[in-house]
């Protein structure tokens, strides 16, 4: 078990480094190959030669890519000093880079955005797991009934409607028309739980609707498959109560594929729910990424990408470990 | 496939539903929020003051999709930031707080009067007012003004911001900025705390304009946190920072050390100024209409859905703002066959200006059809219209276009490439409208859409333009300061043709054009300079170098609570933020 864990952790680190290198290449090398000057991108309207030269030194764009990459990686455990012209700024560990747009370490930005993304992901995934799995199970049991058909039609809607669409409608109705909830203009850890709840409730529901729909369909399909298995027939033949058969025998084994998907979804969500966060203006990682991309704030883009990759890798690892708990057939060795 | 068509029907049905919902919610919300107050009337802030009032108090609430580019006066370059900075920075001279064109006049701010200029036009002397203070109550002196301006030379730390003062006072950049060179800049002298003297190596009639930009703001050396100054600038104006979270929130509160007696410009009516940066612009428009916010700090106009319900249901809260932006197509001189003037003229005649205007949103939302390369508010504009664009109400003249093509030696037309910015709403559509019109005379255009942020390194780089074979670029341009130099020099002067970040997109290399700029810039009388710029505009148009097509207009929301709201040409048609109040 321990050996397995170590192996997996090393794999996680390698994967994150590969993602980081790829991101580095996309943002630093591709423009160069296309003949663009990154320093000019940063300069915006100010185009004097000395301005552009200043930006180049400030961002360390003169160094070879591998050197830039190594400096960045080294900064995460060790911290790093950024030369800001005649000013030196220390970026303490964990240093995920330094944004010259906001003049602050990227980690500060990530640290502020993280609670928002965590809250959004946690609330939404509880909702969608509960609603999705329950709907799926009931639909599977009442296959072909009116309930099943209407639940699956709604689920189809949920799967096919994008978040910005359902989000705008939800806000139009519940915020502007009925005035039931008020969405805060910005969220921080200083705000009260009430403000967080008010702001989060719609995004939770909207995001959960999208995912619950998927989970309902998935649960229904897996449950139908499992319910046709011989061991279910055996369990029923033994005279076990229907509730026990469903809960302990069918659902438990149907959970394995759902858990796999869940792990991936949660990981992606922790990296920032870009559409949901932009629609509701939730200052989480996703919105931070969008802002960073539109203002070409490369260090923040790198920081968010790195964090997203980490989240997905770790979520996957956790799911793999959970298999052992849910399904004894899976042995880790 | 049957499923495909069902899906399509579903989506189009859904689109209808959402459209209906969006419009009803917008109206519903507006009725609720604005029931007790009404807007001051359509265009009430255009060339006049909407809701004049001297009452103090309240919180001015602004919203915007985009944050300030920097809160550091020497690093900012966005027009909206300059407008906002008057809350906490002051300059020797600044734009008059008057509506419309009167707002482009320079008036004394920290100084007791505009500059005393020596006879050779090279020495500018200012006396500072009495009672000038910083937010800690200490005295603001001429040395602080000198130090603030010197910061602009530290280009490796103080990045961004315009270079005009630097290029004028120290064209060879010998000075290295106050962090590396404690000796200071020789071109600025401060014989005593109240006096500051600028010595220009060469005349520049717009020099006071450069000092009016926030680059000319004082900074107190003891409070200079270098690159981090943007996080908490030290105030010399009526408000100071209480909170600044970049990309999220700005809160300014009264600076009780600021004395109204020392400042004839700033009304300082609200007690507090609260700015929210929020990503969803549709949602921001709704909140504006519901009265949650008073105005959009970006001032770039409402979204399409927002402006429809604003104009229909809240006409009294809407201003049809004239920005000083000109939308244009640059014809690239060395791209064949545009090296021939007749091929360029063919484009002028074949363009359907009216259809481009329609595509971008019509006369109200997009703007007026342009004739001059200069915007109306800038001296240099005239009614000169050599291609009869206004006469034909923007319609093309196919016969003349074909005739020009014949003279160019391309009677059956030619093929070329045009760039447009994909994230500029309507620009790609406008490019496609142009494509259709040119197609009618045989000019086949391939439209290449680019990310707006990339343009400085693509269309702004002559070598990339050549490599990619572009013949025309579509974009928009507004002045940094309201004069021909601030507007047109980067566009047409060959000395501004840079290897990257180039805005002389037509790549005009004409000694006569450069000489006209020199003549106008040396002129200290703006009216006389304006006449030279008129001549320049005529020359550019006659040569068909650069084709303006629209004078931009926006639909802007003016909250019902706002008092003293007017649009200033000194700030590209935005509301003059320093004058706004919220209590009637």
């Amino acid at each position: 078990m321990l050996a397995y864990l170590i192996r997996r952790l090393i794999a996680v680190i390698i994967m994150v480094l590969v993602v980081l290198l790829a991101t580095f290449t996309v943002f630093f090398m591709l423009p160069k190959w296309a003949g663009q000057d990154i320093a000019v991108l940063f300069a915006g309207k100010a185009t004097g030669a000395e301005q552009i030269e200043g930006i180049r030194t400030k961002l360390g764009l003169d160094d070879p890519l591998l050197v830039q990459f190594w400096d960045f990686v080294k900064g995460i455990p060790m911290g790093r000093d950024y030369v800001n012209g005649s000013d030196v700024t220390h970026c303490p560990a964990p240093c995920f880079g330094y944004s010259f747009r906001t003049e602050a370490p990227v980690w500060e930005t990530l640290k502020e955005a993280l609670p928002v993304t965590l809250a959004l992901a946690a609330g939404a995934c509880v909702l969608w797991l509960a609603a999705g799995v329950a709907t799926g199970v009931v639909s599977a049991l009442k296959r072909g009934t009116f309930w099943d058909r209407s639940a699956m039609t709604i689920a189809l809607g949920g799967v096919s409607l994008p978040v910005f669409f359902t989000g705008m409608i939800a806000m139009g109705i519940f915020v502007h028309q009925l005035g039931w909830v008020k969405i805060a203009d910005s969220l921080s850890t200083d705000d009260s739980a009430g403000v967080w709840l008010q702001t989060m409730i719609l995004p939770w529901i909207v995001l959960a609707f999208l995912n619950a729909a998927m989970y309902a369909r998935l649960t229904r399909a897996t449950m139908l498959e499992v319910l046709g298995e011989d061991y279910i027939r055996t369990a029923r033949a033994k005279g076990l109560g229907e509730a026990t058969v469903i809960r302990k025998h069918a659902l438990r084994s149907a959970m394995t594929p759902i858990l796999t998907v869940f792990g991936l979804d949660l990981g992606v969500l922790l990296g920032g729910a870009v559409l949901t966060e932009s629609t509701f203006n939730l200052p989480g990682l996703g919105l931070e990424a969008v802002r960073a991309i539109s203002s070409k704030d490369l260090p923040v883009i790198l920081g968010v990408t790195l964090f997203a990759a980490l989240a997905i890798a770790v979520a996957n690892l956790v799911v793999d470990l959970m298999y052992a708990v849910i399904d004894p057939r899976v042995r880790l060795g | 496939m049957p499923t495909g068509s069902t899906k399509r029907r579903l989506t189009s049905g859904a689109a209808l539903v959402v459209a209906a919902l969006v419009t009803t919610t917008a109206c519903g919300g507006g009725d609720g929020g604005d029931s007790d107050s009404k807007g001051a009337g359509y265009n009430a802030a255009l060339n006049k003051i909407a809701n004049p009032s001297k009452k103090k108090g309240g919180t001015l609430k602004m919203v915007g999709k985009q944050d300030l580019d920097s809160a550091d006066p020497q690093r900012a370059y966005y027009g909206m930031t300059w407008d906002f900075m008057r809350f906490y920075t002051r300059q020797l001279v600044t734009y008059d707080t008057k509506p419309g064109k009167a707002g482009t006049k320079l008036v004394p701010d920290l100084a007791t009067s505009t500059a005393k200029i020596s006879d050779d036009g090279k020495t500018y002397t200012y006396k500072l007012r009495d009672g000038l203070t910083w937010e800690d109550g200490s005295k603001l002196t001429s040395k602080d003004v000198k130090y603030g301006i010197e910061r602009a030379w530290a280009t490796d730390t103080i990045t961004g911001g315009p270079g005009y003062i630097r290029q004028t006072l120290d064209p060879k950049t010998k000075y290295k900025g106050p962090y590396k060179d404690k000796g200071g800049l020789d071109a600025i002298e401060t014989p005593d705390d109240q006096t500051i003297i600028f010595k220009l190596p060469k005349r520049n009639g717009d020099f006071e304009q450069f000092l009016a930009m926030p680059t000319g703001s004082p900074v107190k050396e003891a409070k200079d946190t270098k690159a981090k100054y943007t996080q908490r600038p030290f105030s010399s104006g009526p408000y100071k920072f209480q909170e600044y979270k970049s990309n999220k929130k700005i809160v300014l509160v009264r600076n009780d050390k600021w004395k109204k007696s020392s400042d004839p410009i700033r009304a300082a009516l609200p007690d507090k100024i609260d700015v929210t940066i929020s990503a969803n612009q549709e949602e921001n428009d709704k909140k504006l209409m519901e009265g949650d916010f008073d105005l959009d700090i970006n001032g770039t106009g409402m979204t399409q859905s927002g402006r429809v319900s604003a104009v229909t249901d809240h006409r009294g809260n809407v201003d049809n703002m004239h920005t000083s932006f000109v939308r244009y197509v640059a014809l690239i001189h060395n791209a064949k066959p545009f090296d021939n003037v007749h091929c360029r003229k063919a484009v002028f005649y074949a363009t359907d200006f009216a259809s481009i205007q329609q595509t971008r949103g019509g006369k109200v939302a997009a703007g007026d059809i342009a004739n001059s390369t200069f915007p109306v508010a800038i001296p240099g504009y005239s009614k000169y219209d050599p291609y009869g664009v206004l006469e034909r109400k923007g319609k093309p003249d196919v016969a003349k276009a074909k005739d020009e093509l014949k003279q160019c030696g391309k009677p059956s037309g030619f093929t070329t490439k045009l760039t447009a910015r994909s994230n500029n709403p309507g620009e790609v559509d406008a490019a496609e409208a142009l494509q259709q019109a040119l197609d009618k005379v045989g000019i086949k255009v391939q439209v290449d859409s680019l990310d707006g942020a990339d343009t400085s390194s693509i269309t702004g780089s002559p070598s990339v333009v050549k490599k990619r074979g572009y013949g025309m670029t579509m974009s928009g341009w507004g002045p940094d300061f309201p004069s021909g130099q601030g507007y047109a020099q980067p566009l047409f002067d060959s000395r501004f043709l840079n290897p990257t970040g180039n805005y002389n997109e037509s790549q005009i290399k004409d000694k006569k054009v450069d000489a006209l700029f020199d003549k106008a810039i040396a002129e200290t009388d703006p009216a006389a300079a304006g006449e030279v710029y008129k001549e320049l505009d005529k020359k550019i148009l006659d040569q068909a170098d650069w084709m303006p097509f629209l004078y931009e207009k926006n639909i802007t929301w003016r909250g019902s609570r706002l008092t003293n709201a007017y649009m200033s040409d000194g700030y590209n048609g935005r509301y003059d933020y320093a004058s706004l109040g919220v209590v009637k």
Side-chain angles (χ1 to χ4, degrees):
Chain A
M1 179 72 188
L2 189 68
Y4 173 79
L5 197 64
I6 292 172
R7 252 197 346 259
R8 285 297 307 263
L9 279 176
I10 292 174
V12 164
I13 292 170
I14 293 175
M15 197 206 84
V16 168
L17 284 179
V18 168
V19 169
L20 198 57
L21 191 63
T23 320
F24 244 91
T25 314
V26 166
F27 287 103
F28 286 90
M29 290 318 277
L30 287 188
K32 220 178 206 173
W33 292 332
Q36 283 179 266
D37 187 338
I38 303 172
V40 175
L41 287 182
F42 263 85
K45 250 174 114 179
T47 51
E50 67 269 35
Q51 281 272 22
I52 291 167
E53 204 39 56
I55 288 164
R56 209 188 307 275
T57 25
K58 197 167 168 174
L59 292 177
L61 295 172
D62 287 332
D63 296 333
L65 181 72
L66 274 176
V67 174
Q68 292 182 41
F69 181 68
W70 173 243
D71 283 345
F72 183 86
V73 173
K74 208 170 61 179
I76 298 173
M78 319 261 292
R80 192 179 165 188
D81 281 334
Y82 280 90
V83 180
N84 216 335
S86 38
D87 197 12
V88 176
T89 307
H90 181 66
C91 170
C95 177
F96 281 75
Y98 184 87
S99 162
F100 292 105
R101 289 249 187 252
T102 57
E103 296 292 352
V106 172
W107 177 241
E108 302 281 314
T109 311
L110 295 182
K111 223 165 50 185
E112 266 184 39
L114 199 56
V116 177
T117 298
L118 275 180
L120 177 66
C125 78
V126 168
L127 273 182
W128 93 56
L129 258 189
V133 172
T135 313
V137 170
V138 176
S139 279
L141 295 178
K142 307 198 169 192
R143 186 181 178 187
T145 60
F146 174 71
W147 158 270
D148 178 29
R149 289 211 181 130
S150 40
M152 283 307 117
T153 311
I154 294 173
L156 180 71
V159 174
S160 33
L161 294 176
V163 165
F164 53 83
F165 177 85
T166 40
M168 286 301 274
I169 289 193
M171 272 199 283
I173 296 173
F174 296 105
V175 178
H176 297 291
Q177 197 81 291
L178 301 171
W180 288 355
V181 285
K182 182 155 172 40
I183 293 188
D185 296 322
S186 65
L187 261 188
S188 79
T189 37
D190 303 336
D191 291 318
S192 69
V195 173
W196 277 74
L197 193 70
Q198 281 250 333
T199 307
M200 282 290 173
I201 191 105
L202 277 186
W204 279 342
I205 293 173
V206 165
L207 191 55
F209 179 51
L210 172 81
N211 283 300
M214 225 128 54
Y215 281 71
R217 291 171 66 85
L218 185 68
T219 310
R220 179 177 179 271
T222 338
M223 274 301 274
L224 284 177
E225 202 185 304
V226 172
L227 284 173
E229 296 275 349
D230 289 346
Y231 70 90
I232 298 290
R233 201 183 50 192
T234 314
R236 282 186 179 138
K238 278 196 302 194
L240 276 182
E242 186 64 14
T244 319
V245 173
I246 302 292
R247 225 177 43 236
K248 288 210 163 155
H249 292 250
L251 189 57
R252 186 154 179 179
S253 105
M255 278 311 277
T256 331
I258 293 172
L259 196 68
T260 313
V261 180
F262 179 71
L264 276 175
D265 283 346
L266 190 64
V268 170
L269 213 52
L270 288 179
V274 173
L275 286 178
T276 316
E277 287 174 15
S278 326
T279 308
F280 291 96
N281 190 44
L282 300 173
L285 290 170
L287 190 56
E288 221 43 80
V290 172
R291 278 179 180 148
I293 289 170
S294 68
S295 62
K296 304 266 164 190
D297 196 347
L298 294 181
V300 176
I301 300 176
L302 278 178
V304 176
T305 315
L306 180 67
F307 193 84
L310 256 175
I312 295 171
V314 169
N316 263 321
L317 179 62
V318 171
V319 165
D320 285 355
L321 296 176
M322 291 273 287
Y323 279 163
V325 181
I326 289 194
D327 190 343
R329 285 174 306 184
V330 183
R331 280 262 177 81
L332 304 174
Chain B
M1 257 172 25
T3 42
S5 69
T6 324
K7 225 176 195 175
R8 261 203 300 280
R9 244 181 284 142
L10 252 176
T11 22
S12 56
L16 276 177
V17 172
V18 88
L21 271 169
V22 165
T23 27
T24 49
T25 48
C27 310
D31 291 345
D34 280 340
S35 53
D36 52 345
S37 56
K38 273 241 147 73
Y42 183 67
N43 274 341
L46 200 69
N47 293 319
K48 52 186 180 285
I49 302 172
N51 288 331
S53 162
K54 284 187 177 150
K55 280 209 189 125
K56 291 186 175 181
T59 302
L60 173 64
K61 288 182 281 187
M62 302 170 131
V63 69
K65 187 182 158 84
Q66 204 168 13
D67 196 0
L68 307 177
D69 50 341
S70 173
D72 183 327
Q74 272 79 29
R75 293 176 72 177
Y77 212 150
Y78 287 178
M80 62 126 176
T81 310
W82 288 0
D83 197 351
F84 186 77
M85 275 186 173
R86 285 216 285 195
F87 286 133
Y88 65 91
T89 68
R90 295 182 64 178
Q91 295 78 31
L92 291 166
V93 287
T94 189
Y95 295 110
D96 204 359
T97 42
K98 293 216 169 92
K101 204 165 174 174
T104 61
K105 191 181 165 224
L106 287 178
V107 290
D109 182 356
L110 291 171
T112 51
S113 70
T114 52
K116 290 202 176 59
I117 307 172
S118 63
D119 290 340
D120 64 358
K122 289 184 181 174
T123 307
Y124 286 62
T125 308
Y126 294 93
K127 285 272 177 209
L128 263 55
R129 286 176 203 275
D130 291 322
L132 299 174
T133 49
W134 286 104
E135 64 169 275
D136 60 357
S138 60
K139 190 181 169 202
L140 191 157
T141 70
S142 56
K143 297 191 171 63
D144 298 327
V145 180
K146 179 175 192 228
Y147 181 79
I149 295 173
E150 283 173 348
R151 289 175 87 237
W153 268 259
T155 44
D156 52 356
T157 311
I158 308 299
T159 47
Y164 294 106
I165 296 187
R166 235 175 29 239
Q167 283 142 18
T168 311
L169 290 180
D170 180 21
K172 297 207 173 89
T173 14
K174 284 185 193 138
Y175 178 57
K176 294 290 165 226
Y179 308 136
K180 285 183 182 157
D181 184 351
K182 295 286 170 199
L185 177 68
D186 298 336
I188 308 176
E189 290 168 12
T190 51
D192 60 63
D193 279 358
Q194 300 291 107
T195 313
I196 186 161
I197 304 165
F198 296 89
K199 298 213 156 139
L200 282 59
K202 205 171 131 195
R203 284 166 71 116
N204 193 321
D206 285 330
F207 185 65
E208 289 207 274
Q209 299 275 1
F210 307 159
L211 293 175
M213 291 177 201
T215 335
S217 310
V219 169
K220 193 177 164 83
E221 188 172 0
K223 298 286 174 185
D224 181 12
T225 49
K226 299 183 178 176
K228 289 197 185 63
Y229 195 66
T230 177
Q231 292 169 348
R232 179 62 174 82
F234 198 62
S235 171
S236 57
Y239 298 93
K240 59 182 177 184
F241 278 76
Q242 185 185 59
E243 189 188 346
Y244 182 24
K245 276 190 179 168
S246 68
N247 288 326
K248 291 187 186 94
K249 203 158 191 49
I250 308 169
V251 182
L252 303 184
V253 290
R254 278 196 189 280
N255 166 16
D256 53 9
K257 297 292 189 299
W258 171 82
K259 296 185 198 110
K260 177 78 192 102
S261 59
S262 79
D263 191 340
I265 301 295
R266 293 159 186 79
L269 298 179
D271 287 336
K272 196 172 160 190
I273 293 142
D274 192 307
V275 185
T276 301
I277 309 299
S278 180
N280 188 335
Q281 212 181 341
E282 260 97 20
E283 193 59 18
N284 294 352
D285 281 353
K286 266 187 218 160
K287 286 182 175 166
L288 281 169
M289 288 188 269
E290 287 177 11
D292 291 352
F293 295 108
D294 303 311
L295 79 156
D296 180 347
I297 186 176
N298 297 152
T300 44
M302 300 181 86
T303 59
Q304 195 171 357
S305 61
R307 71 186 181 223
V308 168
S309 52
V311 172
T312 358
D313 303 319
H314 312 278
R315 228 177 135 72
N317 286 98
V318 168
D319 285 309
N320 194 194
M321 144 182 158
H322 293 251
T323 75
S324 314
F325 252 75
V326 178
R327 306 237 157 253
Y328 68 87
V329 173
L331 302 156
I332 298 161
H333 267 235
N334 39 8
K336 287 199 182 305
F338 288 127
D339 50 346
N340 185 318
V341 64
H342 295 292
C343 275
R344 301 200 294 269
K345 283 186 178 168
V347 171
F348 272 71
Y349 284 117
T351 298
D352 188 341
F353 294 81
S355 87
I356 296 180
Q357 182 187 38
Q358 211 47 48
T359 319
R360 287 200 65 113
K363 195 173 156 48
V364 175
D368 297 321
I369 292 173
N371 63 300
S372 162
T373 60
F374 280 63
V376 184
I378 306 290
Y381 166 83
S382 73
K383 296 217 159 77
Y384 186 61
D385 182 18
Y387 305 99
V389 173
L390 298 185
E391 222 171 88
R392 292 191 306 275
K393 297 197 164 63
K395 286 281 156 213
D397 188 334
V398 175
K400 275 204 172 134
K402 286 192 170 152
D403 182 49
E404 292 290 347
L405 279 176
K406 244 181 247 151
Q407 294 185 55
C408 170
K410 301 266 179 192
S412 54
F414 54 87
T415 317
T416 188
K417 277 188 193 169
L418 164 71
T419 68
R421 294 165 302 165
S422 56
N423 50 348
N424 181 287
E427 191 161 289
V428 174
D429 299 336
E432 279 161 3
L434 178 63
Q435 181 186 36
Q436 276 179 21
L438 296 186
D439 190 64
K440 287 183 185 145
V441 297
I443 305 175
K444 304 263 179 251
V445 178
Q446 181 193 325
V447 176
D448 211 352
S449 67
L450 307 170
D451 186 300
D454 290 344
T455 47
S456 61
S457 59
I458 297 177
T459 55
S461 166
S463 62
V464 176
V465 165
K466 194 173 177 199
K467 206 162 80 187
R468 297 200 180 183
Y470 294 139
M472 301 186 279
T473 58
M474 183 181 278
S475 193
W477 185 255
D480 282 348
F481 53 93
S483 95
Q485 179 182 190
Y487 171 76
Q489 205 177 14
L491 297 174
F492 308 134
D493 192 315
S494 75
R495 291 159 293 185
F496 279 64
L497 222 172
N498 295 319
T500 49
N502 168 47
Y503 293 106
N504 181 351
E505 289 171 18
S506 301
Q507 301 182 30
I508 300 170
K509 284 181 217 155
D510 188 335
K511 287 263 171 331
K512 282 183 196 143
V513 170
D514 298 355
L516 283 172
F517 275 115
D518 287 340
K519 189 175 163 197
I521 289 166
E523 194 60 70
T524 40
D525 173 21
E531 288 307 312
V532 183
Y533 287 124
K534 269 184 197 164
E535 201 183 318
L536 183 105
D537 171 52
K538 243 176 122 168
K539 190 165 169 49
I540 302 286
L541 281 174
D542 286 343
Q543 290 176 186
D545 289 321
W546 195 88
M547 183 174 79
F549 59 84
L550 279 179
Y551 296 132
E552 188 192 69
K553 276 187 184 176
N554 278 336
I555 301 280
T556 322
W557 181 262
R558 171 179 18 81
S560 300
R561 295 187 333 134
L562 285 180
T563 62
N564 285 330
Y566 59 84
M567 323 201 95
S568 161
D569 285 349
Y571 290 97
N572 279 345
R574 284 190 186 76
Y575 296 110
D576 192 344
Y577 297 159
S579 297
L580 293 172
V582 286
V583 185
K584 274 168 204 160

